[in-house]
Amino acid sequence: MNTISAAITAVGAYVPEYVLSNKILETMVDTNDEWITTRTGIKERRLLKEEGKGTSYMAIKAAQDLLKKRQLDPKDIDMVIVATATPDMPVASTAVYTASEIGATNAFAYDLSAACSSFLYGMSTAASYIESGRYKKVLLIGADKMSSIIDYEDRATCIIFGDGAGAVLFEPNEEGLGLQDEYLRSDGVGREFLKIDAGGSILPPNEDTVKNKQHYVFQDGKTVFKFAVSNMADVSEKIMKRNDLNHEDVAWLVPHQANKRIIAATANRMGLDEEKVMLNIHKYGNTTSATLPLCLHDYESQLKKGDNLIFAAFGGGFTWGSIYLKWAYNSN
């Protein structure tokens, strides 16, 4: 009896139409295109501007894109996970609403939150359900409306984040393809360096928290950068060594798109050339939970069956990790 592994068999994506370019940001805060590009690698980001539309809107669009491409009946989906740091609302699950709206009436659903590592952790979770043998089709969506929690008068954060969604389908594989290994980490020391102060159980919303802008993302940029550079590189190198992979064996690094310098440092530690690194931060900025699936979507046509992919992410909390996955299909 062959061992069941969990493989990605389809990809979908959605990004909003509105483009917030560096040039536009120059008119909003004290910054400039050269500084943003040099420090982050970001040229533009997409924002969901339509009133009354939240993270679920983009999650639904990404899921529908995947279903259409794969010609899949949503009733065949067993479960839906939405990885997100910006759910539509507290208590009511964004994933449950998303599943209902796409017609996945036989699926159960829930949200998964681990800041920018949400999708990476979600990959581990989705794969475990498949490997258990109990579920055949798990839809994992990474979606975030970061514009809903960003202060566009704070030049430290407003230049970084964008909105978007990406989706992947996990299915059983008996050819040895799919998720091979994972190394996931977390450390509560990071709690103070990347957070939203208010709106949770410690500091519920009130007039003062709104007035003091405590419902927006706060980031200690230098500290987060230092932790991200060392930890993303460390776990990526570790998972390569643990699986006896060298730079020639790795087809692609799929890195969280937080900062081009962090990505370059990770690739350098792995001994990878630039052409083996998925990069779209210049187009979308940091879409938090959506960065990894958006990379897969943008590079899907270049992926070949059997390709070794190394995923790496780092997020608030702190959360971080790396996953080694063998690609399961030829896209062309």
Side-chain angles (χ1 to χ4, degrees), residues 190 192-195 218-231 258 262 314-318:
E192 294 305 309
F193 303 116
L194 180 51
K195 61 179 179 176
F218 162 79
Q219 176 171 277
D220 178 338
K222 288 182 179 178
T223 303
V224 173
F225 180 86
K226 182 181 74 174
F227 271 90
V229 165
S230 61
N231 286 317
I262 297 172
F314 182 90
F318 289 129

Side-chain angles (χ1 to χ4, degrees), residues 125-140:
T125 305
S128 296
Y129 279 108
I130 294 294
E131 289 163 1
S132 75
R134 295 179 183 175
Y135 304 95
K136 303 298 184 187
K137 289 179 169 57
V138 177
L139 181 63
L140 171 63

